[in-house]
């Protein structure tokens, strides 16, 4: 074992003690006893109770008074247990082109097609530009890999009908068919029944409080053949069949229908242009084609030229809306821990996000009218967050020198400081580290954890540390990325870095050689966000070159791929093969905090579950 490597690893992992394995440099000996320099009382380890450390997070309580629980905030909790359902009414008939009145509230529901559309902003921009002065409210309720009757959600998360009721939807655009199409021709009759039942339930629901909604059913887009996967060959026959089936059901149910499959397939026929990056998920050029096709199909006429200032503000509005509709730590917002951890944080945060979304939408309305707008968004009407309930105490801060004094080190080894935030402030709150082929340490850091609060943006970082003079200490620091969002885990490869940014698996790359990431792609989305430290973790390359990672308890994931949806509930391992974009899941047994994985010299995949202080062969818990 390389003594220098031990020194460097031990330096960053300052909370632990590294012991030499038996037979290295000295006879085997019993490790030194665990020591708690701050313990004032408590029994010895192994005697039935752990020592009490009065200076750790459970030892120092601040005696903060209980904050006032404003009952008015309850209306911002869209919980399945309490949120309202719509009353039933006589169904409305939808005819195209749509005619909108002032204040019409539009909801987008469906799968990744609309989910990613919110990040591109084209369709919403076209709708707002065509209707200046109508002050349209548009909310994106889409969710990766949703099907018409299969929509897994976090515990106690409001149903689609409840969210549509809260949003008082007048018009609903519903994009489905892609995930269902993997059932093939044999599943078409059942699919027609499923879509019919879905539309019947929507039509008879007065989400706006008085009338049934007008509905526009949207077909899937075509798939295309790209270098990594021949998605068109795999899927387009079924997609065409499911598009025809949707058109028939829409006609029978007297709702609108827009076929975006035909236009996107025609656009994808150009061999010199890729409109998707994996055969199924479109890039910006693809989304512009999709948006114009959907707009003309729904509203008629000619789509206006995109106003980039409007689109930029639509994207910003949707960024804030996503944080409200799809917040991290939903197990603490809607689920089993919503009374014990941060419950009072979430409700005022949801209120503030709602206000910020409204502020941005008003700015969109002003822009489409040509009104002058200020250089910065005015959020002066967003109230400060109230104090949160104290659920944990405070940690004692120690300097690196004081931490080192607290170590018990096997005399055959030595530990030295490699890097500290005192010298390199960018490495505050480190989470994971990796070494590259040049001997540099890459560190992911998060000051955003556990989630973004209203009015803030993620400023988390991936930092590169170098020891240029060989003295065992870093003397150079550079920031590879400074806008990542709680990068729980990352892995170097394919000329860049794969990063966990829940609910996304993201790939970052430096394309111009300046040492900073300038390319970002959300490779896949839809991974669980129920607990931001149980989410995508433990990135590691398998011996045969696949990227493996996992999530843990509480999580629901559903991810669209060129080969069909991948779903997992309450813990899973994932295996991603960049060469053909294939994602698989396995090992779906309940496990806790996913904080350690490796392969041994024989190719065995070994992982840990720190809550239970256990490690085992990851695919078989019996070992």
């Amino acid at each position: 074992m390389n003594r220098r490597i031990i020194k460097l690893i031990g330096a960053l992992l300052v909370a632990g003690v590294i012991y030499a394995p038996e037979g290295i440099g000295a006879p085997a000996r019993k490790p030194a006893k665990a020591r708690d320099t701050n313990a004032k009382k408590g029994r010895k380890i192994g005697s039935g109770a752990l020592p009490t450390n009065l200076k750790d997070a459970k030892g120092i309580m601040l005696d903060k008074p209980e904050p006032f629980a404003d009952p008015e905030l309850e209306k911002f909790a869209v919980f399945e247990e309490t949120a309202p359902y719509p009353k039933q009414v006589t169904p409305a008939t939808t005819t195209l082109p749509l005619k909108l009145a002032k204040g019409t509230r539009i909801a987008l529901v469906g799968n990744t097609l609309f989910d990613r559309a919110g990040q591109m902003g084209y369709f919403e921009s076209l709708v707002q530009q065509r209707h200046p002065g109508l002050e349209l409210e548009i909310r994106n309720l889409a969710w990766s890999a949703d099907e018409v009757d299969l929509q897994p959600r976090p515990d106690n998360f409001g149903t689609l009908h409840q969210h549509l009721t809260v949003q008082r939807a007048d018009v609903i655009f519903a994009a489905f068919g892609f995930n269902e199409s993997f059932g093939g021709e044999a599943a078409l009759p059942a699919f027609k029944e499923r879509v019919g039942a879905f539309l019947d339930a929507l039509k008879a629901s007065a989400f706006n409080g008085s009338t049934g909604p007008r509905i526009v059913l949207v077909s899937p887009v075509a798939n295309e053949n790209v270098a990594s996967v021949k998605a068109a060959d795999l899927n387009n026959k079924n997609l065409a069949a499911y598009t025809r089936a949707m058109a028939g059901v829409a006609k029978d149910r007297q709702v609108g229908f827009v076929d975006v499959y035909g236009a996107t397939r025609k656009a994808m026929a150009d061999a010199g242009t890729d409109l998707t990056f994996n055969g199924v998920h479109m890039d910006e050029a693809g989304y512009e084609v999709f948006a114009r096709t959907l707009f003309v199909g729904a509203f008629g006429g000619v789509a206006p030229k995109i106003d980039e200032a409007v689109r930029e503000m639509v994207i910003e509005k949707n960024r804030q809306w996503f944080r409200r509709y799809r917040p991290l730590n939903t197990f603490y917002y809607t689920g089993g821990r919503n009374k014990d951890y941060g419950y009072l944080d979430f409700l005022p945060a949801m209120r503030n996000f709602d206000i910020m979304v409204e502020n941005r939408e008003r700015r969109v309305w002003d822009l489409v009218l040509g009104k002058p707008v200020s250089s910065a968004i005015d959020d002066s009407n967003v109230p400060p967050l109230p104090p949160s309930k104290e659920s944990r105490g405070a940690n004692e801060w120690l300097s690196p020198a004081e931490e080192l004094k607290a170590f018990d080190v096997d005399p055959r080894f030595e530990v030295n400081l490699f890097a500290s935030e005192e010298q390199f402030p960018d490495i505050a709150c480190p989470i994971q580290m990796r070494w590259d082929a040049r001997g540099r340490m890459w560190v992911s850091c998060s000051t955003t954890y556990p989630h973004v609060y209203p009015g803030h943006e993620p400023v988390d970082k991936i930092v590169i540390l170098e020891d240029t003079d060989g003295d065992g200490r870093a003397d150079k620091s550079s920031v590879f990325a400074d806008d990542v969002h709680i990068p729980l885990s990352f892995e170097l490869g394919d000329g860049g870095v794969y990063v966990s940014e829940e609910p996304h698996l993201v790939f970052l790359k430096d394309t111009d050689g300046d040492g900073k990431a300038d390319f970002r792609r959300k490779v896949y989305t839809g991974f669980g966000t129920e607990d931001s430290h149980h989410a995508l973790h433990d990135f590691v390359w398998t011996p045969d070159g696949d990227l493996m990672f996992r999530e843990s308890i509480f999580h629901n994931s559903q991810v669209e791929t060129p080969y069909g949806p991948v779903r997992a509930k309450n813990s899973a391992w994932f295996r991603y093969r960049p060469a053909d974009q294939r994602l698989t899941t396995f090992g779906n047994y309940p496990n806790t905090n996913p904080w350690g994985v490796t392969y041994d010299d024989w190719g065995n995949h070994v992982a840990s579950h720190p809550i239970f202080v256990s490690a085992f062969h990851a695919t078989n818990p019996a070992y």
Side-chain angles (χ1 to χ4, degrees):
M1 184 177 295
N2 186 295
R3 184 180 182 90
R4 176 173 170 75
I5 291 176
I6 294 175
K7 288 168 62 179
L8 295 176
I9 294 176
L12 193 62
L13 302 179
V14 293
V17 178
I18 296 179
Y19 292 103
E22 295 184 12
I24 297 182
R29 67 167 70 183
K30 294 181 180 179
K33 292 181 179 179
R35 182 176 62 163
D36 184 349
T37 58
N38 296 319
K40 304 297 183 184
K41 59 182 178 179
R43 287 180 287 173
K44 295 180 180 179
I45 294 175
S47 63
L50 294 177
T52 299
N53 181 348
L54 296 183
K55 293 186 179 181
D56 73 9
K58 296 180 182 179
I60 299 179
M61 301 305 288
L62 303 178
D63 296 324
K64 292 171 59 178
E66 288 285 311
F68 170 65
D70 186 351
E72 283 295 309
L73 293 173
E74 293 290 338
K75 64 185 179 183
F76 298 99
V78 189
F79 296 168
E80 186 175 12
E81 294 174 352
T82 57
Y85 279 94
K87 68 178 183 180
Q88 299 300 288
V89 293
T90 302
T93 297
T94 305
T95 58
L96 300 182
L98 288 174
K99 302 297 182 182
L100 303 180
K102 186 170 184 176
T104 298
R105 293 170 293 274
I106 300 171
L108 311 180
V109 305
N111 53 38
T112 303
L113 179 61
F114 270 153
D115 183 22
R116 284 177 52 84
Q119 303 161 27
M120 306 297 176
Y122 286 107
F123 178 63
E124 283 191 52
S125 297
L126 292 173
V127 175
Q128 295 282 14
Q129 287 179 233
R130 169 65 72 85
H131 302 93
L134 293 192
E135 298 183 353
L136 307 176
E137 297 180 16
I138 304 177
R139 297 293 180 269
N140 193 324
L141 303 177
W143 203 291
S144 172
D146 263 5
E147 299 183 18
V148 289
D149 55 3
L150 180 60
Q151 300 173 7
R153 294 293 187 267
D155 290 351
N156 197 29
F157 192 92
T159 67
L160 177 60
H161 278 228
Q162 288 175 305
H163 276 277
L164 288 168
T165 303
V166 171
Q167 296 306 320
R168 298 171 296 142
D170 300 305
V171 175
I172 299 172
F173 285 82
F176 290 98
F178 173 74
N179 298 289
E180 295 91 336
S181 73
F182 290 94
E185 185 176 350
L188 270 172
F191 173 67
K192 294 178 183 179
E193 293 182 3
R194 296 166 64 195
V195 175
F198 172 76
L199 293 175
D200 289 343
L202 286 183
K203 288 182 63 178
S205 298
F207 300 114
N208 63 9
S210 57
T211 61
R214 288 181 289 166
I215 302 168
V216 180
L217 192 62
V218 182
S219 80
V221 296
N223 288 183
E224 69 176 345
N225 291 335
V226 295
S228 57
V229 54
K230 304 302 180 185
D233 296 346
L234 289 172
N235 301 327
N236 274 351
K237 179 180 178 181
N238 284 337
L239 291 171
Y242 276 68
T243 296
R244 291 191 295 270
M246 293 172 71
V249 176
K251 182 177 181 180
D252 290 343
R253 294 310 198 275
Q254 295 183 301
V255 303
F257 176 73
V258 178
D259 175 2
V260 294
Y261 171 82
T264 51
R265 184 169 188 181
K266 182 178 179 180
M268 291 172 183
D270 181 357
T273 304
D274 286 342
L275 297 184
T276 70
F277 60 86
N278 62 2
V280 299
H281 296 135
M282 295 181 296
D283 56 19
E284 285 205 2
Y287 265 105
E288 185 167 8
V289 172
F290 161 73
R292 292 186 177 280
T293 303
L294 177 57
F295 177 85
V296 172
F299 296 99
V302 178
K305 180 182 178 181
I306 291 289
D307 184 326
E308 285 299 325
V310 171
R311 187 170 80 97
E312 179 183 342
M313 192 49 49
V314 165
I315 293 171
E316 164 61 18
K317 182 213 73 169
N318 287 336
R319 178 164 44 245
Q320 303 303 333
W321 167 249
F322 191 89
R323 293 167 183 168
R324 194 270 185 262
Y325 177 55
R326 302 272 301 274
L328 302 193
N329 295 304
T330 43
F331 193 67
Y332 300 77
Y333 166 43
T334 68
R337 290 181 175 172
N338 71 350
K339 298 296 183 183
D340 298 323
Y341 298 87
Y343 180 68
L344 294 174
D345 272 342
F346 275 102
L347 298 188
M350 298 301 105
R351 173 201 61 197
N352 286 9
F353 277 129
D354 279 345
I355 296 171
M356 292 174 65
V357 169
E358 292 164 2
N359 290 343
R360 283 144 183 78
E361 198 149 52
R362 288 193 193 93
R363 192 175 175 94
V364 169
W365 301 339
D366 288 344
L367 287 168
V368 298
L369 285 171
K371 291 183 178 180
V373 297
S374 58
S375 59
I377 300 170
D378 182 6
D379 282 326
S380 60
N381 60 338
V382 178
L385 293 177
S388 61
K389 178 180 178 181
E390 181 183 13
S391 60
R392 297 285 183 183
N395 287 306
E396 180 188 23
W397 186 87
L398 295 176
S399 69
E402 291 170 321
E403 285 184 336
L404 188 56
K405 290 178 183 179
F407 283 18
D408 275 339
V409 182
D410 188 300
R412 294 168 293 174
F413 297 93
E414 61 184 67
V415 174
N416 71 273
L417 179 70
F418 180 70
S420 164
E421 66 177 275
E422 291 182 325
Q423 181 183 4
F424 303 113
D426 286 328
I427 64 170
C429 302
I431 300 177
Q432 192 197 357
M433 65 183 186
R434 285 275 186 250
W435 297 91
D436 68 14
R438 295 165 54 184
R440 302 179 301 174
M441 177 188 285
W442 295 56
V443 186
S444 65
C445 311
S446 178
T447 55
T448 304
Y449 175 88
H451 45 248
V452 172
Y453 281 84
H456 297 268
E457 292 297 321
V459 290
D460 298 338
K461 298 175 182 178
I462 297 177
V463 180
I464 306 172
L465 297 168
E466 297 182 63
D467 172 14
T468 63
D469 57 11
D471 67 350
R473 295 191 59 150
D475 47 57
K476 180 180 179 182
S477 171
S478 58
V479 177
F480 178 75
D482 61 3
D483 59 350
V484 288
H485 185 198
I486 311 183
L488 295 181
S489 190
F490 70 97
E491 182 61 281
L492 308 171
D494 295 328
V497 183
Y498 289 95
V499 185
S500 165
E501 284 192 294
E502 54 194 295
H504 317 297
L505 168 65
V506 173
F507 180 69
L508 304 176
K509 190 174 182 178
D510 168 21
T511 64
D512 58 11
D514 67 351
K516 298 182 182 297
D518 49 53
F519 173 85
R520 175 188 294 267
R521 170 171 290 159
K522 292 174 181 174
V523 179
Y524 281 129
T525 189
F527 297 99
T529 62
E530 281 82 342
D531 190 323
S532 65
H533 71 276
H534 286 181
L536 291 191
H537 252 81
D538 285 352
F539 284 28
V540 63
W541 291 108
T542 69
D544 49 343
D546 293 347
L547 185 64
M548 191 173 289
F549 43 89
R550 64 167 160 167
E551 64 185 12
S552 192
I553 53 174
F554 313 144
H555 285 258
N556 292 274
S557 288
Q558 47 175 26
V559 183
E560 289 183 16
T561 82
Y563 308 95
V566 174
R567 305 182 197 276
K569 182 177 179 63
N570 201 31
S571 303
W573 285 96
F574 297 95
R575 186 168 182 147
Y576 170 63
R577 182 175 299 151
D580 61 5
Q581 306 292 316
R582 190 177 293 273
L583 181 74
T584 57
T585 183
F586 66 95
N588 302 79
Y589 53 86
N591 63 80
T592 61
N593 305 37
W595 296 342
V597 63
T598 191
Y599 278 89
D600 65 18
D601 291 342
W602 295 271
N604 294 310
H605 179 216
V606 180
S608 66
H609 295 248
I611 291 296
F612 300 136
V613 198
S614 59
F616 49 79
H617 189 292
T619 57
N620 190 339
Y623 291 97

